[in-house]
Amino acid sequence: MAIRSPRRLLRPFLYASAATAIGGGVLYFTYRPIRVPGSNPAAVPPHFGPDGTIAPPRFPSIKSRADQIYALKKSSGKAGRPNDTGDKGVLMNLIDGAKGDKDEFIGESEDLYDLLVIGGGATGAGIALDAATRGLKVAMVERDDFSSGTSSKSTKLVHGGVRYLEKAVKELDYNQYKLVKEALRERKYFLDTAPHLSNWLPIMLPIQKWWQAPYFWLGTKTYDFLAGSEGIESSYFLTKSKALEAFPMLKTNGAHNDSRMNVSLAMTAALYGSTVVNHIEVTGLDKDVSGRVCGARMRDLVPVKDGKRSEEFSVRAKSVINATGPFTDSIRKMDDQNVDEIVAPSSGVHIILPGYYSPANMGLIDPSTSDGRVIFFLPWQGNTIAGTTDAPTSISQNPIAGEDEINWILSEIRGYLAPDINVRRGDVLAAWSGIRPLVRDPKAKNTESLVRNHLITVSDSGLITCAGGKWTTYRQMAEETVDEAIKLNSLKPGPVMTVPRISGSEMIDDGAALDGTCQTHQVRLIGAHGYSKTLFINLVQHFGVETDVAKHLVESYGDRAWQVAALASPTNMRFPVRGIKISDLYPFVDGEVRYAVRYEYAQTAIDVLARRTRLAFLNAQAALEALPTVIDLMAEELKWNRHRKETEWRDSVSFLASMGLAKSKWSITRKDVETGKAAEYDEGEMKLYSRYDRAADMIASDLKSSKSNPGISKDSPANK
């Protein structure tokens, strides 16, 4: 008995120890310290002079757009030749030189590109940056503007996909699981490489039935576990009272400024040596005598806007990559007219509401709406974004959001708000439709089924196509595409020997880690080096800009906010000292327009209003009212004549029509806006507010409804 007694004591002790260890591990994982991206001090802090004043950093310059076009033409031997034989002659010379061994021909010119990327969205810009940081010579061209298509019309979330995880478990689908893991890893890279453009955002999952509590808990905790070290903050429950107080959350995801992220990718690629040009239209693909794609024909669309002729020219490259999103099949048909289409376009409508409809730092997602679709309800840029729909559509340049989709979103939103809050159609400040390029695998037996993530294919002629996917996984897509190009064309990546001091300081050597392998998971984008959450204070103190303007500049440009603020005009007031707003309702200032033209290749007013600032996405009416100012600022920078300014007006109003501008404003003239007619309200808008009544205890328009109002009327004895 004396021998067995210690054993009886030992077993409970081991059980208790194991339970303590497991419980402690769970507690540590749940409440472990979290490194919130962007909360750290700047990698390159501001420099103070001997007298305590700030010495703004000096950043490396970027090649002009004209220099970039010259580099493109140089690859075909066309640029600078006084007795050029024309594009046909260049192409014939190219084909003649290609006779025999192709590899021998393509090695004859240092101006030949390793990669020519068609498409300047998230994927195309990501490929350009990836290739450039592997030491490859790369060019990227975009028909419209960087992020002009799907990449600027996303839900603004960077997320792993809880629904994909649910399907992975229910259907035992490893591909779905792999997609979630990949997205969670990429989410962290967003926050590390561009902390000024990305931030973590708590998201609420509403619980309608009791059984959803353990179900959602298990799902989100699995989500947290898969995120591992890439996690931002663990999910948790809130009681009903706390939920109503805080607009409750259950899990966290990343949010970002999509088009500014896209532009930053392109500009960072340019600083690393890529030839990056927007408003260049590809008109055809060039092939050598063996039928292999060896370049493309293109033309600059900017002279056309100026009423001038634009000559077609060829660009030569060892490999051509098609990254054109919804327009993927149009490029594939340039290669082979008989090829089967792989894009199944789907329309996603989003609307913008005033900021008071959501908390500033918390969002909502419901994966089970009235008809089974997912709906997001998120704070974004001071307003509220809601969406999205998912329906088959046709491909067009600037699709218009339909009233049915807008009303469906409004109807779903009403179910989440207090019954005394009425969400009105007139509260919609902007609405747009983005085209999601879902793709079919042409090699799959069932050609009707859509791939769940992205697809990389190679045609018989060597054209590489990367399609599908989502913003969250753009970097992974780019890495795999460059890997495929290197393998297919025997390209030779290597260390990047000459890297400019992108940070504007000698403190960081951005080229140290660039050994020829993919390093984009740690390549800081332009603006990230000197960013910190307190940088806006330095701007306020140095330039005298308003606090909300300073915060906006830092969150949109990172450390380049120094340049933007310097380009802002003096106000001739005591305070703010600098920064004339282009719209009274938002913190966008004139310096952003100048910066967009000089350092971000903005060529049209919509480039500025939609992709450099986000005013067109936030408020279509405010963008219309700001349009004369933006056109005049750009005309001063780009030397536009009267014809070009008129063209910009027509094109811009047409674009704003696709962003939810009221139909009554579609034919408005510049003179109408400048004389205040744009601010006049149509009959529908007049009903939204009591606008013109004189001040009174009860204004005249409200007295009209007093008969049906249960409150105290004007003639009540209580008022005598």
Side-chain angles (χ1 to χ4, degrees):
M1 294 296 293
I3 296 175
R4 295 177 60 188
S5 179
R7 292 180 179 177
R8 282 201 298 267
L9 295 173
L10 181 61
R11 183 174 296 175
F13 175 76
L14 291 175
Y15 287 158
S17 299
T20 301
I22 294 172
V26 171
L27 285 173
Y28 173 78
F29 180 80
T30 302
Y31 297 104
R32 69 193 187 283
I34 299 293
R35 182 186 69 82
V36 178
S39 61
N40 293 336
V44 180
H47 176 70
F48 291 87
D51 59 350
T53 58
I54 298 175
R58 295 185 178 182
F59 300 107
S61 60
I62 195 167
K63 285 184 179 180
S64 70
R65 184 174 181 275
D67 288 339
Q68 297 281 38
I69 293 176
Y70 174 80
L72 287 176
K73 293 180 177 180
K74 197 176 176 184
S75 77
S76 65
K78 183 179 177 64
R81 288 187 178 181
N83 297 317
D84 199 283
T85 57
D87 291 331
K88 292 183 179 179
V90 171
L91 185 57
M92 287 304 297
N93 291 337
L94 185 148
I95 293 176
D96 290 340
K99 292 179 180 178
D101 184 67
K102 180 187 175 187
D103 292 333
E104 180 181 352
F105 159 67
I106 62 178
E108 290 179 0
S109 173
E110 294 181 357
D111 299 320
L112 184 73
Y113 288 104
D114 291 313
L115 298 180
L116 170 60
V117 184
I118 306 173
T123 305
I127 292 171
L129 179 59
D130 188 301
T133 52
R134 297 200 210 188
L136 297 175
K137 185 177 175 64
V138 57
M140 180 189 75
V141 295
E142 162 61 41
R143 179 180 61 180
D144 196 336
D145 185 28
F146 311 121
S147 192
S148 60
T150 305
S151 297
S152 65
K153 297 178 178 179
S154 70
T155 306
K156 324 304 179 192
L157 277 181
V158 181
H159 61 98
V162 172
R163 295 196 77 183
Y164 294 129
L165 178 61
E166 182 182 34
K167 288 182 179 180
V169 174
K170 285 185 176 180
E171 301 173 10
L172 298 178
D173 190 332
Y174 177 73
N175 287 327
Q176 297 275 13
Y177 165 80
K178 188 168 68 171
L179 179 62
V180 174
K181 280 290 291 181
E182 177 184 289
L184 287 170
R185 182 183 67 249
E186 296 300 321
R187 182 182 67 170
K188 179 177 182 294
Y189 295 155
F190 261 84
L191 296 163
D192 286 338
T193 60
H196 56 300
L197 296 172
S198 309
N199 62 281
W200 68 274
L201 179 70
I203 303 289
M204 174 194 121
L205 281 171
I207 295 175
Q208 309 290 351
K209 300 176 182 178
W210 70 266
W211 58 265
Q212 290 179 325
Y215 184 75
F216 285 172
W217 183 88
L218 180 62
T220 54
K221 285 302 175 184
T222 304
Y223 189 78
D224 293 341
F225 178 77
L226 290 178
S229 62
E230 283 81 32
I232 303 173
E233 183 173 325
S234 298
S235 55
Y236 57 86
F237 276 113
L238 286 178
T239 62
K240 182 177 180 179
S241 60
K242 291 292 184 182
L244 292 174
E245 178 184 343
F247 192 27
M249 63 86 85
L250 192 63
K251 69 188 185 76
T252 52
N253 276 312
H256 77 137
N257 189 335
D258 50 10
S259 70
R260 284 228 50 86
M261 182 82 173
N262 200 153
V263 171
S264 295
L265 282 168
M267 295 304 101
T268 306
L271 282 174
Y272 276 99
S274 296
T275 302
V276 173
V277 193
N278 54 352
H279 298 285
I280 294 283
E281 179 184 34
V282 171
T283 57
L285 299 178
D286 289 337
K287 297 183 180 181
D288 61 20
V289 291
S290 65
R292 300 284 294 180
V293 172
C294 60
R297 300 182 302 280
M298 56 192 69
R299 65 177 186 140
D300 184 5
L301 296 179
V302 172
V304 178
K305 291 180 176 291
D306 290 324
K308 301 176 183 177
R309 185 180 176 185
S310 181
E311 296 288 340
E312 188 179 86
F313 59 93
S314 289
V315 174
R316 296 187 298 154
K318 300 174 186 177
S319 181
V320 178
I321 297 175
N322 173 16
T324 52
F327 303 96
T328 291
D329 286 324
S330 64
I331 300 297
R332 294 176 71 242
K333 288 183 181 295
M334 289 182 184
D335 177 43
D336 180 1
Q337 277 290 337
N338 300 317
V339 71
D340 292 331
E341 295 185 354
I342 62 172
V343 173
S346 175
S347 170
V349 171
H350 296 80
I351 64 173
I352 290 289
L353 297 167
Y356 53 71
Y357 278 112
S358 66
N361 298 303
M362 197 169 292
L364 176 146
I365 173 177
D366 188 353
S368 302
T369 57
S370 59
D371 60 1
R373 289 183 283 186
V374 176
I375 193 165
F376 294 89
F377 193 55
L378 313 166
W380 183 67
Q381 300 286 303
N383 282 358
T384 300
I385 182 173
T388 177
T389 61
D390 185 9
T393 187
S394 58
I395 297 174
S396 60
Q397 188 75 9
N398 292 310
I400 295 177
E403 282 298 318
D404 290 343
E405 290 92 340
I406 293 173
N407 288 326
W408 177 82
I409 295 172
L410 291 173
S411 175
E412 292 296 327
I413 287 172
R414 292 186 184 104
Y416 304 113
L417 300 176
D420 58 337
I421 297 177
N422 179 29
V423 186
R424 306 169 297 181
R425 175 62 178 86
D427 290 332
V428 177
L429 303 176
W432 68 86
S433 174
I435 300 177
R436 184 185 178 198
L438 304 175
V439 290
R440 304 181 184 91
D441 187 348
K443 297 180 181 179
K445 293 181 179 179
N446 180 9
T447 57
E448 293 301 314
S449 61
L450 302 175
V451 298
R452 296 182 178 92
N453 41 28
H454 61 274
L455 178 71
I456 299 173
T457 63
V458 182
S459 72
D460 293 339
S461 66
L463 174 67
I464 300 174
T465 294
C466 180
K470 57 182 182 177
W471 242 118
T472 307
T473 55
Y474 86 90
R475 195 208 62 83
Q476 180 70 25
M477 294 164 62
E479 179 181 351
E480 293 177 11
T481 304
V482 175
D483 287 343
E484 182 67 30
I486 290 172
K487 177 183 176 182
L488 182 68
N489 297 281
S490 302
L491 303 179
K492 298 178 181 178
V496 181
M497 306 307 297
T498 56
V499 177
R501 298 293 178 176
I502 298 175
S503 66
S505 167
E506 297 293 326
M507 295 177 62
I508 295 179
D509 180 7
D510 288 290
L514 305 182
D515 58 1
T517 62
C518 178
Q519 297 294 326
T520 48
H521 61 284
Q522 59 180 333
V523 172
R524 290 187 181 95
L525 299 190
I526 185 171
H529 299 76
Y531 168 77
S532 72
K533 289 186 176 295
T534 58
L535 179 59
F536 76 94
I537 299 174
N538 300 132
L539 292 185
V540 173
Q541 293 176 336
H542 189 75
F543 293 108
V545 295
E546 292 182 76
T547 301
D548 65 330
V549 171
K551 287 183 176 180
H552 154 68
L553 294 181
V554 168
E555 291 168 0
S556 298
Y557 302 90
D559 58 25
R560 264 46 176 192
W562 290 105
Q563 285 183 305
V564 180
L567 288 167
S569 299
T571 62
N572 298 319
M573 300 192 309
R574 185 176 181 277
F575 194 87
V577 180
R578 302 186 78 89
I580 299 175
K581 291 184 178 180
I582 62 174
S583 171
D584 292 336
L585 301 175
Y586 297 92
F588 306 118
V589 294
D590 58 341
E592 296 180 72
V593 182
R594 298 186 182 97
Y595 182 85
V597 172
R598 298 184 190 185
Y599 299 103
E600 294 182 337
Y601 299 162
Q603 295 296 304
T604 71
I606 288 304
D607 290 352
V608 171
L609 286 171
R611 269 89 60 175
R612 305 310 187 279
T613 71
R614 308 310 309 274
L615 186 55
F617 280 80
L618 292 168
N619 191 320
Q621 174 68 26
L624 176 67
E625 294 173 11
L627 186 54
T629 300
V630 171
I631 289 177
D632 287 346
L633 286 168
M634 295 188 74
E636 183 180 328
E637 291 288 321
L638 295 170
K639 312 304 179 191
W640 287 347
N641 57 23
R642 181 178 177 181
H643 167 81
R644 177 61 187 275
K645 292 169 75 172
E646 291 173 351
T647 299
E648 284 299 315
W649 181 267
R650 290 192 300 270
D651 292 348
S652 298
V653 173
S654 176
F655 175 84
L656 291 176
S658 72
M659 299 302 295
L661 184 68
K663 289 185 178 181
S664 60
K665 309 291 174 57
W666 287 9
S667 59
I668 198 167
T669 66
R670 173 169 178 157
K671 184 177 179 180
D672 290 337
V673 173
E674 292 176 330
T675 56
K677 289 186 178 180
E680 294 179 358
Y681 306 99
D682 58 29
E683 186 177 349
E685 292 173 312
M686 282 292 292
K687 294 178 181 179
L688 288 176
Y689 309 101
S690 299
R691 297 184 183 275
Y692 299 115
D693 297 337
R694 297 177 60 185
D697 291 334
M698 180 173 283
I699 60 179
S701 57
D702 290 338
L703 288 173
K704 296 177 181 178
S705 59
S706 62
K707 292 183 179 180
S708 60
N709 193 321
I712 299 175
S713 69
K714 180 182 178 181
D715 298 326
S716 169
N719 286 326
K720 294 181 180 179

